[in-house]
Amino acid sequence: MRTRRRFLIAALAAGTAFALAGCETLNTVTGLLGNQLNFTQPQLQRYLNHSFPREFDKLGGLVSATLTNPRLSIPSGDNRLRLDFDIGVSALGARDVSRGHFALASRLRYNPATQGLHLDNPEILAVDVPGAGSLLSGGTRELVNTVLVEYARNEPVYRIDSDVLNRLPSGKRIGATDIEDGRVVVRLQ
């Protein structure tokens, strides 16, 4: 009897996990039937979790920044997402690494070359890296801006699966990307 109960509990847990994973894919695939693809905050967060930590060297390696622990949110009523990162800043010859965090808000754009959703015109909301200003002649905010420009150009916040793109209705392609009602909406045209 106990073995049967354990089996039923294990089967129920596996079924629930499968259903939840299916909901994520279903959310994207149902958009294929209409004129949009929908992505949720958890989908983007999982992608980001696998993409970090990231190292950025500037000025020929004289200054470097390491981004870790990305935290993505989609604030209610906003047409931009918010990203918070932990950051470590170091300079050649400096003994200590300054650690802190920064936050940004950004819209998203689709880049066909990477099949990804990239930051579009990110705005720094806050930078808190104690002591880093003394390490950097241009200041921490300028370093963060430089890192953001490079990241936005080269690295997607989320990469759309090739299978999803291959199932787009005939003649449809990716159009505008919007953030609305707590989700990312990629319009098909």
Side-chain angles (χ1 to χ4, degrees):
M1 183 82 159
R2 281 190 160 169
T3 304
R4 185 175 185 190
R5 183 180 294 169
R6 285 184 194 159
F7 174 75
L8 289 174
I9 290 171
L12 181 60
T16 301
F18 180 73
L20 289 174
C23 287
E24 178 180 312
T25 303
L26 183 63
N27 207 12
T28 302
V29 173
T30 54
L32 290 173
L33 302 175
N35 289 320
Q36 66 189 38
L37 300 174
N38 300 310
F39 300 97
T40 63
Q41 179 275 336
Q43 285 175 285
L44 276 64
Q45 184 65 57
R46 272 192 290 286
Y47 182 85
L48 286 171
N49 289 345
H50 295 292
S51 301
F52 285 85
R54 300 295 311 239
E55 181 88 20
F56 297 88
D57 288 325
K58 295 292 148 207
L59 303 172
L62 293 175
V63 178
S64 67
T66 303
L67 300 182
T68 59
N69 197 21
R71 297 167 304 280
L72 184 138
S73 60
I74 303 175
S76 179
D78 200 344
N79 64 354
R80 302 179 302 171
L81 58 80
R82 179 183 169 115
L83 268 171
D84 290 82
F85 292 96
D86 292 337
I87 185 170
V89 179
S90 62
L92 188 65
R95 291 184 182 177
D96 297 327
V97 174
S98 294
R99 299 190 189 285
H101 69 277
F102 76 95
L104 65 91
S106 182
R107 291 183 176 85
L108 292 174
R109 64 178 171 76
Y110 177 71
N111 181 340
T114 64
Q115 296 180 336
L117 302 175
H118 291 253
L119 297 177
D120 184 29
N121 199 22
E123 174 191 355
I124 296 175
L125 300 175
V127 176
D128 179 22
V129 184
S134 62
L135 288 176
L136 308 170
S137 61
T140 305
R141 186 173 283 273
E142 288 77 15
L143 174 66
V144 171
N145 264 326
T146 303
V147 167
L148 276 179
V149 167
E150 181 178 331
Y151 179 76
R153 181 178 55 244
N154 299 322
E155 297 296 327
V157 171
Y158 184 80
R159 190 177 312 271
I160 300 175
D161 189 84
S162 294
D163 291 338
V164 171
L165 293 172
N166 290 334
R167 289 185 292 189
L168 291 178
S170 180
K172 295 280 186 176
R173 61 185 175 90
I174 301 290
T177 301
D178 298 309
I179 297 172
E180 55 187 42
D181 300 326
R183 61 195 163 96
V184 175
V185 178
V186 178
R187 310 275 182 213
L188 302 179
Q189 53 185 7

PDB file of all heavy atoms in Angstrom, residues 7-35:
ATOM      1  N   PHE A   7       4.213   5.780  -5.317  1.00  0.00           N
ATOM      2  CA  PHE A   7       4.167   5.845  -6.775  1.00  0.00           C
ATOM      3  C   PHE A   7       3.169   6.904  -7.240  1.00  0.00           C
ATOM      4  O   PHE A   7       3.458   7.693  -8.142  1.00  0.00           O
ATOM      5  CB  PHE A   7       3.797   4.478  -7.350  1.00  0.00           C
ATOM      6  CG  PHE A   7       3.601   4.507  -8.847  1.00  0.00           C
ATOM      7  CD1 PHE A   7       4.700   4.579  -9.691  1.00  0.00           C
ATOM      8  CD2 PHE A   7       2.334   4.508  -9.400  1.00  0.00           C
ATOM      9  CE1 PHE A   7       4.534   4.627 -11.062  1.00  0.00           C
ATOM     10  CE2 PHE A   7       2.154   4.558 -10.767  1.00  0.00           C
ATOM     11  CZ  PHE A   7       3.258   4.610 -11.603  1.00  0.00           C
ATOM     12  N   LEU A   8       1.993   6.940  -6.619  1.00  0.00           N
ATOM     13  CA  LEU A   8       0.977   7.927  -6.996  1.00  0.00           C
ATOM     14  C   LEU A   8       1.460   9.348  -6.721  1.00  0.00           C
ATOM     15  O   LEU A   8       1.244  10.253  -7.538  1.00  0.00           O
ATOM     16  CB  LEU A   8      -0.334   7.653  -6.263  1.00  0.00           C
ATOM     17  CG  LEU A   8      -1.110   6.421  -6.719  1.00  0.00           C
ATOM     18  CD1 LEU A   8      -2.309   6.168  -5.816  1.00  0.00           C
ATOM     19  CD2 LEU A   8      -1.549   6.569  -8.164  1.00  0.00           C
ATOM     20  N   ILE A   9       2.126   9.567  -5.595  1.00  0.00           N
ATOM     21  CA  ILE A   9       2.651  10.892  -5.259  1.00  0.00           C
ATOM     22  C   ILE A   9       3.728  11.289  -6.255  1.00  0.00           C
ATOM     23  O   ILE A   9       3.747  12.411  -6.759  1.00  0.00           O
ATOM     24  CB  ILE A   9       3.173  10.924  -3.806  1.00  0.00           C
ATOM     25  CG1 ILE A   9       1.996  10.835  -2.847  1.00  0.00           C
ATOM     26  CG2 ILE A   9       4.000  12.192  -3.547  1.00  0.00           C
ATOM     27  CD1 ILE A   9       2.396  10.639  -1.389  1.00  0.00           C
ATOM     28  N   ALA A  10       4.627  10.358  -6.593  1.00  0.00           N
ATOM     29  CA  ALA A  10       5.686  10.646  -7.564  1.00  0.00           C
ATOM     30  C   ALA A  10       5.091  10.936  -8.938  1.00  0.00           C
ATOM     31  O   ALA A  10       5.518  11.853  -9.645  1.00  0.00           O
ATOM     32  CB  ALA A  10       6.675   9.481  -7.644  1.00  0.00           C
ATOM     33  N   ALA A  11       4.075  10.167  -9.337  1.00  0.00           N
ATOM     34  CA  ALA A  11       3.437  10.389 -10.636  1.00  0.00           C
ATOM     35  C   ALA A  11       2.733  11.741 -10.666  1.00  0.00           C
ATOM     36  O   ALA A  11       2.800  12.465 -11.671  1.00  0.00           O
ATOM     37  CB  ALA A  11       2.448   9.269 -10.930  1.00  0.00           C
ATOM     38  N   LEU A  12       2.074  12.112  -9.581  1.00  0.00           N
ATOM     39  CA  LEU A  12       1.404  13.410  -9.503  1.00  0.00           C
ATOM     40  C   LEU A  12       2.416  14.551  -9.580  1.00  0.00           C
ATOM     41  O   LEU A  12       2.206  15.531 -10.299  1.00  0.00           O
ATOM     42  CB  LEU A  12       0.588  13.516  -8.213  1.00  0.00           C
ATOM     43  CG  LEU A  12      -0.190  14.805  -8.005  1.00  0.00           C
ATOM     44  CD1 LEU A  12      -1.201  15.010  -9.117  1.00  0.00           C
ATOM     45  CD2 LEU A  12      -0.879  14.793  -6.659  1.00  0.00           C
ATOM     46  N   ALA A  13       3.535  14.420  -8.872  1.00  0.00           N
ATOM     47  CA  ALA A  13       4.576  15.462  -8.904  1.00  0.00           C
ATOM     48  C   ALA A  13       5.167  15.591 -10.300  1.00  0.00           C
ATOM     49  O   ALA A  13       5.368  16.698 -10.806  1.00  0.00           O
ATOM     50  CB  ALA A  13       5.674  15.149  -7.890  1.00  0.00           C
ATOM     51  N   ALA A  14       5.444  14.477 -10.954  1.00  0.00           N
ATOM     52  CA  ALA A  14       6.009  14.521 -12.306  1.00  0.00           C
ATOM     53  C   ALA A  14       5.004  15.132 -13.279  1.00  0.00           C
ATOM     54  O   ALA A  14       5.364  15.935 -14.141  1.00  0.00           O
ATOM     55  CB  ALA A  14       6.407  13.117 -12.763  1.00  0.00           C
ATOM     56  N   GLY A  15       3.745  14.774 -13.148  1.00  0.00           N
ATOM     57  CA  GLY A  15       2.713  15.328 -14.019  1.00  0.00           C
ATOM     58  C   GLY A  15       2.555  16.830 -13.836  1.00  0.00           C
ATOM     59  O   GLY A  15       2.394  17.574 -14.805  1.00  0.00           O
ATOM     60  N   THR A  16       2.631  17.288 -12.593  1.00  0.00           N
ATOM     61  CA  THR A  16       2.536  18.718 -12.321  1.00  0.00           C
ATOM     62  C   THR A  16       3.720  19.462 -12.927  1.00  0.00           C
ATOM     63  O   THR A  16       3.548  20.506 -13.563  1.00  0.00           O
ATOM     64  CB  THR A  16       2.482  18.975 -10.795  1.00  0.00           C
ATOM     65  OG1 THR A  16       1.349  18.280 -10.262  1.00  0.00           O
ATOM     66  CG2 THR A  16       2.367  20.453 -10.491  1.00  0.00           C
ATOM     67  N   ALA A  17       4.922  18.930 -12.768  1.00  0.00           N
ATOM     68  CA  ALA A  17       6.108  19.567 -13.349  1.00  0.00           C
ATOM     69  C   ALA A  17       6.000  19.611 -14.870  1.00  0.00           C
ATOM     70  O   ALA A  17       6.313  20.621 -15.494  1.00  0.00           O
ATOM     71  CB  ALA A  17       7.380  18.817 -12.936  1.00  0.00           C
ATOM     72  N   PHE A  18       5.524  18.529 -15.472  1.00  0.00           N
ATOM     73  CA  PHE A  18       5.371  18.494 -16.929  1.00  0.00           C
ATOM     74  C   PHE A  18       4.330  19.504 -17.383  1.00  0.00           C
ATOM     75  O   PHE A  18       4.525  20.219 -18.371  1.00  0.00           O
ATOM     76  CB  PHE A  18       4.974  17.080 -17.367  1.00  0.00           C
ATOM     77  CG  PHE A  18       4.797  16.944 -18.851  1.00  0.00           C
ATOM     78  CD1 PHE A  18       5.902  16.937 -19.688  1.00  0.00           C
ATOM     79  CD2 PHE A  18       3.532  16.835 -19.408  1.00  0.00           C
ATOM     80  CE1 PHE A  18       5.748  16.816 -21.064  1.00  0.00           C
ATOM     81  CE2 PHE A  18       3.376  16.715 -20.778  1.00  0.00           C
ATOM     82  CZ  PHE A  18       4.485  16.707 -21.609  1.00  0.00           C
ATOM     83  N   ALA A  19       3.237  19.614 -16.653  1.00  0.00           N
ATOM     84  CA  ALA A  19       2.177  20.566 -17.019  1.00  0.00           C
ATOM     85  C   ALA A  19       2.683  22.005 -16.919  1.00  0.00           C
ATOM     86  O   ALA A  19       2.392  22.828 -17.786  1.00  0.00           O
ATOM     87  CB  ALA A  19       0.962  20.372 -16.119  1.00  0.00           C
ATOM     88  N   LEU A  20       3.452  22.301 -15.869  1.00  0.00           N
ATOM     89  CA  LEU A  20       3.979  23.657 -15.722  1.00  0.00           C
ATOM     90  C   LEU A  20       4.958  23.986 -16.841  1.00  0.00           C
ATOM     91  O   LEU A  20       4.944  25.077 -17.384  1.00  0.00           O
ATOM     92  CB  LEU A  20       4.652  23.832 -14.363  1.00  0.00           C
ATOM     93  CG  LEU A  20       3.696  23.865 -13.169  1.00  0.00           C
ATOM     94  CD1 LEU A  20       4.491  23.892 -11.866  1.00  0.00           C
ATOM     95  CD2 LEU A  20       2.740  25.029 -13.252  1.00  0.00           C
ATOM     96  N   ALA A  21       5.815  23.050 -17.202  1.00  0.00           N
ATOM     97  CA  ALA A  21       6.748  23.279 -18.307  1.00  0.00           C
ATOM     98  C   ALA A  21       5.971  23.447 -19.610  1.00  0.00           C
ATOM     99  O   ALA A  21       6.310  24.281 -20.443  1.00  0.00           O
ATOM    100  CB  ALA A  21       7.735  22.114 -18.423  1.00  0.00           C
ATOM    101  N   GLY A  22       4.913  22.672 -19.774  1.00  0.00           N
ATOM    102  CA  GLY A  22       4.094  22.788 -20.969  1.00  0.00           C
ATOM    103  C   GLY A  22       3.399  24.128 -21.063  1.00  0.00           C
ATOM    104  O   GLY A  22       3.203  24.670 -22.150  1.00  0.00           O
ATOM    105  N   CYS A  23       3.003  24.699 -19.923  1.00  0.00           N
ATOM    106  CA  CYS A  23       2.346  26.007 -19.930  1.00  0.00           C
ATOM    107  C   CYS A  23       3.270  27.073 -20.498  1.00  0.00           C
ATOM    108  O   CYS A  23       2.841  27.958 -21.218  1.00  0.00           O
ATOM    109  CB  CYS A  23       1.922  26.404 -18.512  1.00  0.00           C
ATOM    110  SG  CYS A  23       0.512  25.464 -17.913  1.00  0.00           S
ATOM    111  N   GLU A  24       4.559  26.995 -20.158  1.00  0.00           N
ATOM    112  CA  GLU A  24       5.516  27.975 -20.667  1.00  0.00           C
ATOM    113  C   GLU A  24       5.595  27.899 -22.186  1.00  0.00           C
ATOM    114  O   GLU A  24       5.523  28.898 -22.881  1.00  0.00           O
ATOM    115  CB  GLU A  24       6.885  27.725 -20.056  1.00  0.00           C
ATOM    116  CG  GLU A  24       7.938  28.674 -20.573  1.00  0.00           C
ATOM    117  CD  GLU A  24       9.276  28.401 -19.940  1.00  0.00           C
ATOM    118  OE1 GLU A  24       9.344  28.270 -18.721  1.00  0.00           O
ATOM    119  OE2 GLU A  24      10.262  28.334 -20.696  1.00  0.00           O
ATOM    120  N   THR A  25       5.711  26.678 -22.711  1.00  0.00           N
ATOM    121  CA  THR A  25       5.775  26.511 -24.157  1.00  0.00           C
ATOM    122  C   THR A  25       4.440  26.881 -24.784  1.00  0.00           C
ATOM    123  O   THR A  25       4.394  27.539 -25.816  1.00  0.00           O
ATOM    124  CB  THR A  25       6.134  25.056 -24.500  1.00  0.00           C
ATOM    125  OG1 THR A  25       7.370  24.744 -23.867  1.00  0.00           O
ATOM    126  CG2 THR A  25       6.250  24.845 -25.995  1.00  0.00           C
ATOM    127  N   LEU A  26       3.350  26.491 -24.141  1.00  0.00           N
ATOM    128  CA  LEU A  26       2.025  26.801 -24.655  1.00  0.00           C
ATOM    129  C   LEU A  26       1.829  28.298 -24.778  1.00  0.00           C
ATOM    130  O   LEU A  26       1.259  28.781 -25.749  1.00  0.00           O
ATOM    131  CB  LEU A  26       0.961  26.181 -23.742  1.00  0.00           C
ATOM    132  CG  LEU A  26      -0.483  26.361 -24.178  1.00  0.00           C
ATOM    133  CD1 LEU A  26      -0.698  25.656 -25.520  1.00  0.00           C
ATOM    134  CD2 LEU A  26      -1.419  25.783 -23.133  1.00  0.00           C
ATOM    135  N   ASN A  27       2.317  29.050 -23.807  1.00  0.00           N
ATOM    136  CA  ASN A  27       2.191  30.510 -23.834  1.00  0.00           C
ATOM    137  C   ASN A  27       2.851  31.071 -25.087  1.00  0.00           C
ATOM    138  O   ASN A  27       2.333  31.995 -25.699  1.00  0.00           O
ATOM    139  CB  ASN A  27       2.849  31.093 -22.578  1.00  0.00           C
ATOM    140  CG  ASN A  27       2.256  32.409 -22.181  1.00  0.00           C
ATOM    141  OD1 ASN A  27       1.215  32.813 -22.686  1.00  0.00           O
ATOM    142  ND2 ASN A  27       2.913  33.071 -21.258  1.00  0.00           N
ATOM    143  N   THR A  28       3.993  30.543 -25.466  1.00  0.00           N
ATOM    144  CA  THR A  28       4.677  30.994 -26.673  1.00  0.00           C
ATOM    145  C   THR A  28       3.972  30.481 -27.921  1.00  0.00           C
ATOM    146  O   THR A  28       3.706  31.227 -28.847  1.00  0.00           O
ATOM    147  CB  THR A  28       6.137  30.496 -26.676  1.00  0.00           C
ATOM    148  OG1 THR A  28       6.774  30.984 -25.505  1.00  0.00           O
ATOM    149  CG2 THR A  28       6.877  30.989 -27.894  1.00  0.00           C
ATOM    150  N   VAL A  29       3.619  29.188 -27.921  1.00  0.00           N
ATOM    151  CA  VAL A  29       3.055  28.577 -29.117  1.00  0.00           C
ATOM    152  C   VAL A  29       1.660  29.120 -29.422  1.00  0.00           C
ATOM    153  O   VAL A  29       1.309  29.280 -30.578  1.00  0.00           O
ATOM    154  CB  VAL A  29       3.041  27.033 -28.972  1.00  0.00           C
ATOM    155  CG1 VAL A  29       2.311  26.374 -30.123  1.00  0.00           C
ATOM    156  CG2 VAL A  29       4.462  26.519 -28.888  1.00  0.00           C
ATOM    157  N   THR A  30       0.845  29.436 -28.409  1.00  0.00           N
ATOM    158  CA  THR A  30      -0.481  29.958 -28.700  1.00  0.00           C
ATOM    159  C   THR A  30      -0.392  31.258 -29.479  1.00  0.00           C
ATOM    160  O   THR A  30      -1.264  31.555 -30.277  1.00  0.00           O
ATOM    161  CB  THR A  30      -1.307  30.182 -27.420  1.00  0.00           C
ATOM    162  OG1 THR A  30      -0.564  31.005 -26.537  1.00  0.00           O
ATOM    163  CG2 THR A  30      -1.690  28.893 -26.767  1.00  0.00           C
ATOM    164  N   GLY A  31       0.672  32.003 -29.283  1.00  0.00           N
ATOM    165  CA  GLY A  31       0.860  33.223 -30.055  1.00  0.00           C
ATOM    166  C   GLY A  31       1.070  32.930 -31.529  1.00  0.00           C
ATOM    167  O   GLY A  31       0.787  33.777 -32.369  1.00  0.00           O
ATOM    168  N   LEU A  32       1.551  31.736 -31.845  1.00  0.00           N
ATOM    169  CA  LEU A  32       1.761  31.379 -33.246  1.00  0.00           C
ATOM    170  C   LEU A  32       0.441  31.293 -34.000  1.00  0.00           C
ATOM    171  O   LEU A  32       0.396  31.441 -35.207  1.00  0.00           O
ATOM    172  CB  LEU A  32       2.487  30.035 -33.353  1.00  0.00           C
ATOM    173  CG  LEU A  32       3.946  30.038 -32.919  1.00  0.00           C
ATOM    174  CD1 LEU A  32       4.490  28.620 -32.905  1.00  0.00           C
ATOM    175  CD2 LEU A  32       4.762  30.916 -33.822  1.00  0.00           C
ATOM    176  N   LEU A  33      -0.639  31.041 -33.289  1.00  0.00           N
ATOM    177  CA  LEU A  33      -1.938  30.928 -33.930  1.00  0.00           C
ATOM    178  C   LEU A  33      -2.495  32.302 -34.282  1.00  0.00           C
ATOM    179  O   LEU A  33      -3.362  32.412 -35.126  1.00  0.00           O
ATOM    180  CB  LEU A  33      -2.911  30.186 -33.002  1.00  0.00           C
ATOM    181  CG  LEU A  33      -2.464  28.777 -32.598  1.00  0.00           C
ATOM    182  CD1 LEU A  33      -3.437  28.189 -31.595  1.00  0.00           C
ATOM    183  CD2 LEU A  33      -2.319  27.881 -33.810  1.00  0.00           C
ATOM    184  N   GLY A  34      -2.008  33.339 -33.630  1.00  0.00           N
ATOM    185  CA  GLY A  34      -2.474  34.688 -33.888  1.00  0.00           C
ATOM    186  C   GLY A  34      -1.381  35.506 -34.538  1.00  0.00           C
ATOM    187  O   GLY A  34      -0.665  35.035 -35.414  1.00  0.00           O
ATOM    188  N   ASN A  35      -1.244  36.716 -34.073  1.00  0.00           N
ATOM    189  CA  ASN A  35      -0.256  37.633 -34.646  1.00  0.00           C
ATOM    190  C   ASN A  35       0.796  38.066 -33.645  1.00  0.00           C
ATOM    191  O   ASN A  35       1.334  39.163 -33.767  1.00  0.00           O
ATOM    192  CB  ASN A  35      -0.975  38.862 -35.225  1.00  0.00           C
ATOM    193  CG  ASN A  35      -1.736  38.513 -36.477  1.00  0.00           C
ATOM    194  OD1 ASN A  35      -1.246  37.750 -37.304  1.00  0.00           O
ATOM    195  ND2 ASN A  35      -2.916  39.068 -36.620  1.00  0.00           N
TER     196      ASN A  35
END
